[in-house]
Structures are given as C-alpha cells and as structure tokens.
Amino acid sequence: QVQLVESGGGLVQPGGSLRLSCVASGSIFSLSTMSWYRQAPGKQRELVAMITSGGTRNYADFVKGRFTISRDNAKNTVYLQMNSLKPEDTAVYLCKQTFRNVYWGQGTQVTVSS
C-alpha cells in the first residue's frame, strides 16, 4: 500500500516562495507519474503540475513561470517549488501518485496573505 506524505506548506506573504515536498512509500515511485493538485474552499480540485516517470513536465496555465515540479527517485520524493505566490494560490495542495492505481496524500495547507 502506497502512502504519500506532504509537507512544506504554511503562511507566506504575496510574492513569497514555498517548497512543498511529497514523500512516497513503496517501490513503484520511479515508475509513477507524480502530480500536485490544489483545492481551495468551495472550489473543485484542480491540477497544478505533473511530472512523468521519464521527467516530462506539464503545468496549469495559472502557474506557468512561477512553479516548478521536480522529482528525486532516490528519495521517493516529488517537489513543488512555488515562487511569486499570489493570494489566489491559497489552497490545500495534494500529491497524487499514478501507476496502475491512483494514490493521494492528505494535503498541506498553503496560505498566501499579508
């Protein structure tokens, strides 16, 4: 059973930066597509960024040029570097692992406010 644990969220001022981490258990991490989603109160969950097992990255238009997704297969970890944060980036950020099945983490809260 895969478990995903996110960390790195918190309160940051507009224009600031945060780096989120998601550590996965199990042995399929390097074969998996890893994604970051976010969900704000009253809104649907939306894809932020994804990275395939081969390293191909895709981003939602609203984060292009500000966020960077990366992975370290040796550490079973996927990262989301978030720069130039805006109040509208406030949400719970969740990690998803996809390989034959889909696994979700519990999420980490990101609040962008002055």
Side-chain angles (χ1 to χ4, degrees):
Q1 182 71 17
V2 170
Q3 290 188 324
L4 303 174
V5 179
E6 301 98 332
S7 62
L11 173 64
V12 63
Q13 292 187 341
S17 298
L18 283 174
R19 188 175 83 153
L20 307 183
S21 300
C22 171
V23 181
S25 64
S27 58
I28 60 170
F29 181 85
S30 64
L31 303 174
S32 303
T33 291
M34 300 301 299
S35 308
W36 285 98
Y37 282 72
R38 70 186 188 186
Q39 188 163 20
K43 295 188 177 181
Q44 288 190 331
R45 189 172 294 184
E46 58 185 0
L47 175 66
V48 175
M50 62 182 295
I51 183 168
T52 67
S53 59
T56 299
R57 298 169 172 86
N58 283 294
Y59 297 93
D61 286 344
F62 54 77
V63 302
K64 282 182 179 177
R66 300 190 298 126
F67 292 9
T68 302
I69 189 170
S70 61
R71 65 191 298 161
D72 185 338
N73 289 339
K75 296 182 178 179
N76 274 21
T77 302
V78 62
Y79 304 97
L80 185 68
Q81 177 67 44
M82 305 188 295
N83 299 329
S84 303
L85 283 160
K86 305 174 181 179
E88 51 263 44
D89 294 319
T90 295
V92 174
Y93 283 71
L94 303 107
C95 176
K96 184 177 87 169
Q97 181 171 353
T98 305
F99 179 72
R100 295 178 181 164
N101 293 303
V102 174
Y103 306 93
W104 289 93
Q106 293 297 309
T108 184
Q109 176 69 47
V110 171
T111 302
V112 185
S113 175
S114 55

mmCIF file of all heavy atoms in Angstrom, residues 63-113:
data_model
loop_
_atom_site.group_PDB
_atom_site.id
_atom_site.type_symbol
_atom_site.label_atom_id
_atom_site.label_comp_id
_atom_site.label_asym_id
_atom_site.label_seq_id
_atom_site.Cartn_x
_atom_site.Cartn_y
_atom_site.Cartn_z
ATOM 1 N N VAL A 63 0.020 28.687 -13.281
ATOM 2 C CA VAL A 63 1.278 28.618 -12.521
ATOM 3 C C VAL A 63 2.521 28.642 -13.409
ATOM 4 O O VAL A 63 3.640 28.657 -12.896
ATOM 5 C CB VAL A 63 1.341 27.389 -11.598
ATOM 6 C CG1 VAL A 63 0.184 27.395 -10.621
ATOM 7 C CG2 VAL A 63 1.403 26.096 -12.393
ATOM 8 N N LYS A 64 2.330 28.644 -14.710
ATOM 9 C CA LYS A 64 3.483 28.632 -15.608
ATOM 10 C C LYS A 64 4.382 29.831 -15.362
ATOM 11 O O LYS A 64 3.931 30.964 -15.237
ATOM 12 C CB LYS A 64 3.011 28.624 -17.068
ATOM 13 C CG LYS A 64 2.547 27.267 -17.544
ATOM 14 C CD LYS A 64 2.139 27.296 -19.008
ATOM 15 C CE LYS A 64 1.690 25.925 -19.475
ATOM 16 N NZ LYS A 64 1.222 25.934 -20.882
ATOM 17 N N GLY A 65 5.669 29.530 -15.244
ATOM 18 C CA GLY A 65 6.648 30.576 -14.994
ATOM 19 C C GLY A 65 6.842 30.900 -13.523
ATOM 20 O O GLY A 65 7.769 31.630 -13.169
ATOM 21 N N ARG A 66 5.971 30.348 -12.662
ATOM 22 C CA ARG A 66 6.082 30.623 -11.221
ATOM 23 C C ARG A 66 6.400 29.362 -10.422
ATOM 24 O O ARG A 66 7.129 29.422 -9.432
ATOM 25 C CB ARG A 66 4.784 31.232 -10.699
ATOM 26 C CG ARG A 66 4.388 32.539 -11.355
ATOM 27 C CD ARG A 66 3.226 33.191 -10.626
ATOM 28 N NE ARG A 66 2.016 32.382 -10.639
ATOM 29 C CZ ARG A 66 1.337 32.014 -9.557
ATOM 30 N NH1 ARG A 66 1.743 32.383 -8.356
ATOM 31 N NH2 ARG A 66 0.228 31.268 -9.659
ATOM 32 N N PHE A 67 5.845 28.237 -10.817
ATOM 33 C CA PHE A 67 6.019 26.984 -10.081
ATOM 34 C C PHE A 67 6.883 26.029 -10.897
ATOM 35 O O PHE A 67 6.825 26.025 -12.130
ATOM 36 C CB PHE A 67 4.672 26.302 -9.829
ATOM 37 C CG PHE A 67 3.751 27.017 -8.874
ATOM 38 C CD1 PHE A 67 4.015 28.280 -8.405
ATOM 39 C CD2 PHE A 67 2.585 26.390 -8.438
ATOM 40 C CE1 PHE A 67 3.164 28.926 -7.521
ATOM 41 C CE2 PHE A 67 1.720 27.008 -7.567
ATOM 42 C CZ PHE A 67 2.006 28.284 -7.112
ATOM 43 N N THR A 68 7.637 25.190 -10.181
ATOM 44 C CA THR A 68 8.457 24.161 -10.822
ATOM 45 C C THR A 68 8.280 22.847 -10.091
ATOM 46 O O THR A 68 8.448 22.786 -8.856
ATOM 47 C CB THR A 68 9.935 24.556 -10.815
ATOM 48 O OG1 THR A 68 10.114 25.811 -11.487
ATOM 49 C CG2 THR A 68 10.773 23.499 -11.534
ATOM 50 N N ILE A 69 7.953 21.810 -10.833
ATOM 51 C CA ILE A 69 7.849 20.473 -10.254
ATOM 52 C C ILE A 69 9.131 19.707 -10.571
ATOM 53 O O ILE A 69 9.706 19.836 -11.655
ATOM 54 C CB ILE A 69 6.601 19.728 -10.783
ATOM 55 C CG1 ILE A 69 6.377 18.429 -10.006
ATOM 56 C CG2 ILE A 69 6.704 19.461 -12.283
ATOM 57 C CD1 ILE A 69 5.040 17.767 -10.307
ATOM 58 N N SER A 70 9.580 18.917 -9.595
ATOM 59 C CA SER A 70 10.768 18.095 -9.803
ATOM 60 C C SER A 70 10.625 16.831 -8.969
ATOM 61 O O SER A 70 9.744 16.747 -8.095
ATOM 62 C CB SER A 70 12.038 18.859 -9.427
ATOM 63 O OG SER A 70 12.016 19.229 -8.059
ATOM 64 N N ARG A 71 11.493 15.881 -9.240
ATOM 65 C CA ARG A 71 11.424 14.625 -8.503
ATOM 66 C C ARG A 71 12.822 14.105 -8.222
ATOM 67 O O ARG A 71 13.759 14.360 -8.975
ATOM 68 C CB ARG A 71 10.611 13.582 -9.264
ATOM 69 C CG ARG A 71 11.217 13.125 -10.582
ATOM 70 C CD ARG A 71 10.218 12.287 -11.394
ATOM 71 N NE ARG A 71 9.848 11.060 -10.688
ATOM 72 C CZ ARG A 71 8.765 10.355 -10.958
ATOM 73 N NH1 ARG A 71 7.923 10.762 -11.904
ATOM 74 N NH2 ARG A 71 8.507 9.237 -10.293
ATOM 75 N N ASP A 72 12.939 13.346 -7.145
ATOM 76 C CA ASP A 72 14.180 12.673 -6.772
ATOM 77 C C ASP A 72 13.810 11.221 -6.516
ATOM 78 O O ASP A 72 13.292 10.884 -5.451
ATOM 79 C CB ASP A 72 14.784 13.333 -5.534
ATOM 80 C CG ASP A 72 16.137 12.752 -5.168
ATOM 81 O OD1 ASP A 72 16.439 11.603 -5.574
ATOM 82 O OD2 ASP A 72 16.899 13.423 -4.460
ATOM 83 N N ASN A 73 14.062 10.383 -7.487
ATOM 84 C CA ASN A 73 13.656 8.980 -7.367
ATOM 85 C C ASN A 73 14.423 8.250 -6.259
ATOM 86 O O ASN A 73 13.910 7.299 -5.664
ATOM 87 C CB ASN A 73 13.843 8.257 -8.696
ATOM 88 C CG ASN A 73 12.841 8.705 -9.741
ATOM 89 O OD1 ASN A 73 11.774 9.248 -9.422
ATOM 90 N ND2 ASN A 73 13.178 8.499 -11.001
ATOM 91 N N ALA A 74 15.635 8.686 -5.988
ATOM 92 C CA ALA A 74 16.420 8.052 -4.926
ATOM 93 C C ALA A 74 15.798 8.295 -3.548
ATOM 94 O O ALA A 74 15.996 7.506 -2.624
ATOM 95 C CB ALA A 74 17.843 8.569 -4.949
ATOM 96 N N LYS A 75 15.055 9.390 -3.445
ATOM 97 C CA LYS A 75 14.421 9.738 -2.171
ATOM 98 C C LYS A 75 12.910 9.506 -2.190
ATOM 99 O O LYS A 75 12.222 9.859 -1.228
ATOM 100 C CB LYS A 75 14.704 11.198 -1.824
ATOM 101 C CG LYS A 75 16.171 11.497 -1.586
ATOM 102 C CD LYS A 75 16.373 12.952 -1.199
ATOM 103 C CE LYS A 75 17.843 13.236 -0.919
ATOM 104 N NZ LYS A 75 18.074 14.652 -0.553
ATOM 105 N N ASN A 76 12.391 8.965 -3.287
ATOM 106 C CA ASN A 76 10.941 8.773 -3.409
ATOM 107 C C ASN A 76 10.178 10.060 -3.112
ATOM 108 O O ASN A 76 9.144 10.043 -2.440
ATOM 109 C CB ASN A 76 10.447 7.667 -2.466
ATOM 110 C CG ASN A 76 10.550 6.279 -3.074
ATOM 111 O OD1 ASN A 76 11.311 6.062 -4.003
ATOM 112 N ND2 ASN A 76 9.789 5.347 -2.535
ATOM 113 N N THR A 77 10.679 11.164 -3.635
ATOM 114 C CA THR A 77 10.130 12.461 -3.294
ATOM 115 C C THR A 77 9.868 13.301 -4.546
ATOM 116 O O THR A 77 10.694 13.321 -5.461
ATOM 117 C CB THR A 77 11.078 13.224 -2.355
ATOM 118 O OG1 THR A 77 11.290 12.445 -1.174
ATOM 119 C CG2 THR A 77 10.486 14.570 -1.952
ATOM 120 N N VAL A 78 8.730 13.972 -4.527
ATOM 121 C CA VAL A 78 8.416 14.959 -5.550
ATOM 122 C C VAL A 78 8.284 16.312 -4.868
ATOM 123 O O VAL A 78 7.799 16.399 -3.730
ATOM 124 C CB VAL A 78 7.137 14.581 -6.323
ATOM 125 C CG1 VAL A 78 5.909 14.527 -5.430
ATOM 126 C CG2 VAL A 78 6.905 15.519 -7.504
ATOM 127 N N TYR A 79 8.752 17.332 -5.559
ATOM 128 C CA TYR A 79 8.769 18.683 -5.007
ATOM 129 C C TYR A 79 7.929 19.623 -5.860
ATOM 130 O O TYR A 79 7.740 19.403 -7.059
ATOM 131 C CB TYR A 79 10.201 19.219 -4.965
ATOM 132 C CG TYR A 79 11.166 18.356 -4.202
ATOM 133 C CD1 TYR A 79 11.985 17.449 -4.864
ATOM 134 C CD2 TYR A 79 11.261 18.445 -2.815
ATOM 135 C CE1 TYR A 79 12.879 16.650 -4.171
ATOM 136 C CE2 TYR A 79 12.157 17.652 -2.106
ATOM 137 C CZ TYR A 79 12.964 16.759 -2.789
ATOM 138 O OH TYR A 79 13.840 15.967 -2.094
ATOM 139 N N LEU A 80 7.471 20.679 -5.227
ATOM 140 C CA LEU A 80 6.829 21.771 -5.956
ATOM 141 C C LEU A 80 7.417 23.072 -5.414
ATOM 142 O O LEU A 80 7.123 23.461 -4.280
ATOM 143 C CB LEU A 80 5.314 21.755 -5.784
ATOM 144 C CG LEU A 80 4.571 22.793 -6.627
ATOM 145 C CD1 LEU A 80 4.681 22.443 -8.118
ATOM 146 C CD2 LEU A 80 3.090 22.875 -6.227
ATOM 147 N N GLN A 81 8.264 23.686 -6.215
ATOM 148 C CA GLN A 81 8.820 24.991 -5.860
ATOM 149 C C GLN A 81 7.840 26.054 -6.329
ATOM 150 O O GLN A 81 7.525 26.129 -7.524
ATOM 151 C CB GLN A 81 10.178 25.192 -6.520
ATOM 152 C CG GLN A 81 10.794 26.549 -6.252
ATOM 153 C CD GLN A 81 11.174 26.753 -4.803
ATOM 154 O OE1 GLN A 81 11.743 25.866 -4.167
ATOM 155 N NE2 GLN A 81 10.875 27.923 -4.257
ATOM 156 N N MET A 82 7.376 26.862 -5.402
ATOM 157 C CA MET A 82 6.373 27.872 -5.714
ATOM 158 C C MET A 82 6.955 29.254 -5.444
ATOM 159 O O MET A 82 7.302 29.576 -4.299
ATOM 160 C CB MET A 82 5.121 27.648 -4.859
ATOM 161 C CG MET A 82 4.542 26.256 -4.986
ATOM 162 S SD MET A 82 2.952 26.068 -4.166
ATOM 163 C CE MET A 82 3.436 26.303 -2.472
ATOM 164 N N ASN A 83 7.075 30.043 -6.485
ATOM 165 C CA ASN A 83 7.596 31.406 -6.380
ATOM 166 C C ASN A 83 6.516 32.405 -6.774
ATOM 167 O O ASN A 83 5.515 32.048 -7.393
ATOM 168 C CB ASN A 83 8.804 31.568 -7.293
ATOM 169 C CG ASN A 83 9.946 30.643 -6.930
ATOM 170 O OD1 ASN A 83 10.147 30.296 -5.771
ATOM 171 N ND2 ASN A 83 10.706 30.228 -7.944
ATOM 172 N N SER A 84 6.748 33.648 -6.430
ATOM 173 C CA SER A 84 5.812 34.731 -6.777
ATOM 174 C C SER A 84 4.383 34.369 -6.388
ATOM 175 O O SER A 84 3.451 34.518 -7.191
ATOM 176 C CB SER A 84 5.900 35.043 -8.272
ATOM 177 O OG SER A 84 7.216 35.394 -8.643
ATOM 178 N N LEU A 85 4.218 33.906 -5.192
ATOM 179 C CA LEU A 85 2.906 33.439 -4.756
ATOM 180 C C LEU A 85 1.904 34.581 -4.665
ATOM 181 O O LEU A 85 2.247 35.726 -4.330
ATOM 182 C CB LEU A 85 3.018 32.736 -3.411
ATOM 183 C CG LEU A 85 3.580 31.311 -3.500
ATOM 184 C CD1 LEU A 85 4.114 30.835 -2.164
ATOM 185 C CD2 LEU A 85 2.510 30.358 -4.022
ATOM 186 N N LYS A 86 0.657 34.242 -4.999
ATOM 187 C CA LYS A 86 -0.440 35.197 -5.006
ATOM 188 C C LYS A 86 -1.516 34.733 -4.021
ATOM 189 O O LYS A 86 -1.617 33.538 -3.722
ATOM 190 C CB LYS A 86 -1.060 35.268 -6.403
ATOM 191 C CG LYS A 86 -0.080 35.579 -7.520
ATOM 192 C CD LYS A 86 -0.759 35.495 -8.873
ATOM 193 C CE LYS A 86 0.218 35.769 -10.009
ATOM 194 N NZ LYS A 86 -0.445 35.671 -11.347
ATOM 195 N N PRO A 87 -2.329 35.647 -3.534
ATOM 196 C CA PRO A 87 -3.408 35.239 -2.622
ATOM 197 C C PRO A 87 -4.308 34.150 -3.220
ATOM 198 O O PRO A 87 -4.784 33.274 -2.487
ATOM 199 C CB PRO A 87 -4.187 36.546 -2.394
ATOM 200 C CG PRO A 87 -3.154 37.609 -2.555
ATOM 201 C CD PRO A 87 -2.247 37.117 -3.659
ATOM 202 N N GLU A 88 -4.495 34.176 -4.520
ATOM 203 C CA GLU A 88 -5.346 33.170 -5.160
ATOM 204 C C GLU A 88 -4.698 31.790 -5.219
ATOM 205 O O GLU A 88 -5.349 30.816 -5.613
ATOM 206 C CB GLU A 88 -5.762 33.616 -6.572
ATOM 207 C CG GLU A 88 -4.630 34.051 -7.456
ATOM 208 C CD GLU A 88 -4.434 35.563 -7.467
ATOM 209 O OE1 GLU A 88 -4.483 36.189 -6.369
ATOM 210 O OE2 GLU A 88 -4.213 36.106 -8.572
ATOM 211 N N ASP A 89 -3.440 31.686 -4.821
ATOM 212 C CA ASP A 89 -2.786 30.371 -4.706
ATOM 213 C C ASP A 89 -3.135 29.680 -3.388
ATOM 214 O O ASP A 89 -2.748 28.531 -3.171
ATOM 215 C CB ASP A 89 -1.266 30.506 -4.809
ATOM 216 C CG ASP A 89 -0.813 30.973 -6.179
ATOM 217 O OD1 ASP A 89 -1.368 30.497 -7.190
ATOM 218 O OD2 ASP A 89 0.111 31.803 -6.239
ATOM 219 N N THR A 90 -3.828 30.373 -2.521
ATOM 220 C CA THR A 90 -4.216 29.790 -1.244
ATOM 221 C C THR A 90 -5.113 28.576 -1.454
ATOM 222 O O THR A 90 -6.131 28.655 -2.138
ATOM 223 C CB THR A 90 -4.954 30.833 -0.379
ATOM 224 O OG1 THR A 90 -4.050 31.892 -0.058
ATOM 225 C CG2 THR A 90 -5.487 30.208 0.902
ATOM 226 N N ALA A 91 -4.706 27.447 -0.884
ATOM 227 C CA ALA A 91 -5.432 26.187 -1.070
ATOM 228 C C ALA A 91 -4.737 25.089 -0.277
ATOM 229 O O ALA A 91 -3.625 25.285 0.231
ATOM 230 C CB ALA A 91 -5.473 25.790 -2.543
ATOM 231 N N VAL A 92 -5.391 23.956 -0.206
ATOM 232 C CA VAL A 92 -4.723 22.740 0.240
ATOM 233 C C VAL A 92 -4.079 22.110 -0.997
ATOM 234 O O VAL A 92 -4.760 21.916 -2.017
ATOM 235 C CB VAL A 92 -5.707 21.759 0.892
ATOM 236 C CG1 VAL A 92 -5.013 20.436 1.205
ATOM 237 C CG2 VAL A 92 -6.292 22.366 2.159
ATOM 238 N N TYR A 93 -2.809 21.805 -0.897
ATOM 239 C CA TYR A 93 -2.079 21.209 -2.008
ATOM 240 C C TYR A 93 -1.895 19.717 -1.727
ATOM 241 O O TYR A 93 -1.408 19.333 -0.652
ATOM 242 C CB TYR A 93 -0.731 21.896 -2.181
ATOM 243 C CG TYR A 93 -0.871 23.237 -2.854
ATOM 244 C CD1 TYR A 93 -1.438 24.313 -2.184
ATOM 245 C CD2 TYR A 93 -0.462 23.428 -4.180
ATOM 246 C CE1 TYR A 93 -1.603 25.547 -2.802
ATOM 247 C CE2 TYR A 93 -0.613 24.653 -4.808
ATOM 248 C CZ TYR A 93 -1.182 25.704 -4.120
ATOM 249 O OH TYR A 93 -1.347 26.923 -4.737
ATOM 250 N N LEU A 94 -2.285 18.920 -2.707
ATOM 251 C CA LEU A 94 -2.266 17.468 -2.543
ATOM 252 C C LEU A 94 -1.367 16.828 -3.589
ATOM 253 O O LEU A 94 -1.322 17.253 -4.746
ATOM 254 C CB LEU A 94 -3.673 16.904 -2.679
ATOM 255 C CG LEU A 94 -4.720 17.484 -1.719
ATOM 256 C CD1 LEU A 94 -5.674 18.398 -2.469
ATOM 257 C CD2 LEU A 94 -5.496 16.375 -1.042
ATOM 258 N N CYS A 95 -0.737 15.766 -3.180
ATOM 259 C CA CYS A 95 0.151 14.990 -4.020
ATOM 260 C C CYS A 95 -0.609 13.757 -4.521
ATOM 261 O O CYS A 95 -1.367 13.137 -3.752
ATOM 262 C CB CYS A 95 1.355 14.588 -3.185
ATOM 263 S SG CYS A 95 2.559 13.536 -3.960
ATOM 264 N N LYS A 96 -0.403 13.409 -5.779
ATOM 265 C CA LYS A 96 -1.037 12.219 -6.345
ATOM 266 C C LYS A 96 0.011 11.369 -7.047
ATOM 267 O O LYS A 96 0.863 11.886 -7.776
ATOM 268 C CB LYS A 96 -2.128 12.609 -7.344
ATOM 269 C CG LYS A 96 -2.904 11.413 -7.893
ATOM 270 C CD LYS A 96 -4.018 11.834 -8.825
ATOM 271 C CE LYS A 96 -3.553 11.989 -10.231
ATOM 272 N NZ LYS A 96 -4.687 12.140 -11.192
ATOM 273 N N GLN A 97 -0.064 10.072 -6.834
ATOM 274 C CA GLN A 97 0.821 9.116 -7.493
ATOM 275 C C GLN A 97 -0.019 8.209 -8.365
ATOM 276 O O GLN A 97 -1.033 7.659 -7.930
ATOM 277 C CB GLN A 97 1.594 8.289 -6.456
ATOM 278 C CG GLN A 97 2.554 7.286 -7.066
ATOM 279 C CD GLN A 97 3.463 6.653 -6.026
ATOM 280 O OE1 GLN A 97 3.475 7.042 -4.855
ATOM 281 N NE2 GLN A 97 4.236 5.671 -6.449
ATOM 282 N N THR A 98 0.402 8.052 -9.609
ATOM 283 C CA THR A 98 -0.348 7.226 -10.552
ATOM 284 C C THR A 98 0.554 6.182 -11.169
ATOM 285 O O THR A 98 1.544 6.501 -11.842
ATOM 286 C CB THR A 98 -0.950 8.088 -11.679
ATOM 287 O OG1 THR A 98 -1.737 9.134 -11.121
ATOM 288 C CG2 THR A 98 -1.824 7.230 -12.594
ATOM 289 N N PHE A 99 0.250 4.927 -10.899
ATOM 290 C CA PHE A 99 0.887 3.790 -11.569
ATOM 291 C C PHE A 99 -0.036 2.605 -11.374
ATOM 292 O O PHE A 99 -0.097 2.048 -10.285
ATOM 293 C CB PHE A 99 2.267 3.495 -11.003
ATOM 294 C CG PHE A 99 2.930 2.319 -11.667
ATOM 295 C CD1 PHE A 99 3.410 2.425 -12.960
ATOM 296 C CD2 PHE A 99 3.043 1.103 -11.018
ATOM 297 C CE1 PHE A 99 4.008 1.342 -13.585
ATOM 298 C CE2 PHE A 99 3.634 0.009 -11.639
ATOM 299 C CZ PHE A 99 4.119 0.140 -12.931
ATOM 300 N N ARG A 100 -0.797 2.257 -12.368
ATOM 301 C CA ARG A 100 -1.829 1.225 -12.311
ATOM 302 C C ARG A 100 -2.974 1.644 -11.381
ATOM 303 O O ARG A 100 -4.132 1.435 -11.716
ATOM 304 C CB ARG A 100 -1.253 -0.125 -11.863
ATOM 305 C CG ARG A 100 -0.252 -0.685 -12.866
ATOM 306 C CD ARG A 100 0.343 -1.972 -12.419
ATOM 307 N NE ARG A 100 1.310 -2.460 -13.408
ATOM 308 C CZ ARG A 100 2.203 -3.411 -13.150
ATOM 309 N NH1 ARG A 100 2.256 -3.973 -11.961
ATOM 310 N NH2 ARG A 100 3.044 -3.805 -14.082
ATOM 311 N N ASN A 101 -2.667 2.177 -10.248
ATOM 312 C CA ASN A 101 -3.669 2.715 -9.330
ATOM 313 C C ASN A 101 -3.337 4.171 -9.046
ATOM 314 O O ASN A 101 -2.267 4.669 -9.413
ATOM 315 C CB ASN A 101 -3.699 1.919 -8.022
ATOM 316 C CG ASN A 101 -4.189 0.498 -8.238
ATOM 317 O OD1 ASN A 101 -5.285 0.291 -8.739
ATOM 318 N ND2 ASN A 101 -3.379 -0.476 -7.869
ATOM 319 N N VAL A 102 -4.270 4.821 -8.371
ATOM 320 C CA VAL A 102 -4.082 6.225 -8.010
ATOM 321 C C VAL A 102 -4.067 6.343 -6.499
ATOM 322 O O VAL A 102 -4.916 5.764 -5.807
ATOM 323 C CB VAL A 102 -5.214 7.094 -8.589
ATOM 324 C CG1 VAL A 102 -5.092 8.532 -8.084
ATOM 325 C CG2 VAL A 102 -5.191 7.053 -10.105
ATOM 326 N N TYR A 103 -3.085 7.071 -6.009
ATOM 327 C CA TYR A 103 -2.941 7.267 -4.569
ATOM 328 C C TYR A 103 -2.862 8.772 -4.302
ATOM 329 O O TYR A 103 -2.241 9.519 -5.070
ATOM 330 C CB TYR A 103 -1.677 6.578 -4.060
ATOM 331 C CG TYR A 103 -1.592 5.119 -4.433
ATOM 332 C CD1 TYR A 103 -0.930 4.719 -5.591
ATOM 333 C CD2 TYR A 103 -2.180 4.147 -3.630
ATOM 334 C CE1 TYR A 103 -0.866 3.383 -5.952
ATOM 335 C CE2 TYR A 103 -2.105 2.798 -3.980
ATOM 336 C CZ TYR A 103 -1.450 2.421 -5.146
ATOM 337 O OH TYR A 103 -1.389 1.105 -5.494
ATOM 338 N N TRP A 104 -3.475 9.183 -3.191
ATOM 339 C CA TRP A 104 -3.496 10.592 -2.799
ATOM 340 C C TRP A 104 -2.908 10.762 -1.403
ATOM 341 O O TRP A 104 -3.091 9.907 -0.528
ATOM 342 C CB TRP A 104 -4.929 11.118 -2.761
ATOM 343 C CG TRP A 104 -5.575 11.279 -4.090
ATOM 344 C CD1 TRP A 104 -6.344 10.365 -4.740
ATOM 345 C CD2 TRP A 104 -5.526 12.434 -4.926
ATOM 346 N NE1 TRP A 104 -6.778 10.884 -5.943
ATOM 347 C CE2 TRP A 104 -6.291 12.149 -6.079
ATOM 348 C CE3 TRP A 104 -4.903 13.678 -4.824
ATOM 349 C CZ2 TRP A 104 -6.450 13.070 -7.115
ATOM 350 C CZ3 TRP A 104 -5.072 14.595 -5.850
ATOM 351 C CH2 TRP A 104 -5.843 14.286 -6.978
ATOM 352 N N GLY A 105 -2.256 11.888 -1.210
ATOM 353 C CA GLY A 105 -1.844 12.267 0.127
ATOM 354 C C GLY A 105 -2.960 13.038 0.810
ATOM 355 O O GLY A 105 -4.024 13.271 0.227
ATOM 356 N N GLN A 106 -2.693 13.451 2.051
ATOM 357 C CA GLN A 106 -3.693 14.164 2.835
ATOM 358 C C GLN A 106 -3.685 15.662 2.559
ATOM 359 O O GLN A 106 -4.659 16.354 2.855
ATOM 360 C CB GLN A 106 -3.444 13.922 4.326
ATOM 361 C CG GLN A 106 -3.688 12.478 4.740
ATOM 362 C CD GLN A 106 -5.121 12.064 4.530
ATOM 363 O OE1 GLN A 106 -6.055 12.734 4.955
ATOM 364 N NE2 GLN A 106 -5.324 10.939 3.839
ATOM 365 N N GLY A 107 -2.598 16.159 2.023
ATOM 366 C CA GLY A 107 -2.535 17.568 1.668
ATOM 367 C C GLY A 107 -1.800 18.416 2.689
ATOM 368 O O GLY A 107 -1.643 18.027 3.855
ATOM 369 N N THR A 108 -1.341 19.559 2.215
ATOM 370 C CA THR A 108 -0.694 20.544 3.076
ATOM 371 C C THR A 108 -1.262 21.923 2.730
ATOM 372 O O THR A 108 -1.443 22.253 1.557
ATOM 373 C CB THR A 108 0.841 20.500 2.911
ATOM 374 O OG1 THR A 108 1.455 21.400 3.835
ATOM 375 C CG2 THR A 108 1.290 20.845 1.501
ATOM 376 N N GLN A 109 -1.557 22.691 3.761
ATOM 377 C CA GLN A 109 -2.210 23.987 3.566
ATOM 378 C C GLN A 109 -1.189 25.046 3.172
ATOM 379 O O GLN A 109 -0.154 25.206 3.829
ATOM 380 C CB GLN A 109 -2.922 24.418 4.850
ATOM 381 C CG GLN A 109 -3.562 25.800 4.793
ATOM 382 C CD GLN A 109 -4.764 25.844 3.870
ATOM 383 O OE1 GLN A 109 -5.626 24.976 3.921
ATOM 384 N NE2 GLN A 109 -4.829 26.874 3.023
ATOM 385 N N VAL A 110 -1.518 25.782 2.130
ATOM 386 C CA VAL A 110 -0.731 26.949 1.722
ATOM 387 C C VAL A 110 -1.646 28.168 1.798
ATOM 388 O O VAL A 110 -2.722 28.186 1.192
ATOM 389 C CB VAL A 110 -0.195 26.789 0.292
ATOM 390 C CG1 VAL A 110 0.439 28.084 -0.202
ATOM 391 C CG2 VAL A 110 0.810 25.643 0.223
ATOM 392 N N THR A 111 -1.216 29.155 2.564
ATOM 393 C CA THR A 111 -1.978 30.385 2.709
ATOM 394 C C THR A 111 -1.101 31.563 2.316
ATOM 395 O O THR A 111 -0.012 31.735 2.879
ATOM 396 C CB THR A 111 -2.475 30.569 4.149
ATOM 397 O OG1 THR A 111 -3.272 29.438 4.525
ATOM 398 C CG2 THR A 111 -3.320 31.835 4.279
ATOM 399 N N VAL A 112 -1.567 32.319 1.344
ATOM 400 C CA VAL A 112 -0.829 33.486 0.869
ATOM 401 C C VAL A 112 -1.617 34.727 1.273
ATOM 402 O O VAL A 112 -2.698 34.992 0.764
ATOM 403 C CB VAL A 112 -0.636 33.451 -0.652
ATOM 404 C CG1 VAL A 112 0.246 34.620 -1.097
ATOM 405 C CG2 VAL A 112 -0.027 32.121 -1.089
ATOM 406 N N SER A 113 -1.043 35.457 2.210
ATOM 407 C CA SER A 113 -1.763 36.600 2.759
ATOM 408 C C SER A 113 -0.785 37.561 3.408
ATOM 409 O O SER A 113 0.239 37.144 3.953
ATOM 410 C CB SER A 113 -2.782 36.127 3.798
ATOM 411 O OG SER A 113 -3.417 37.228 4.420
#
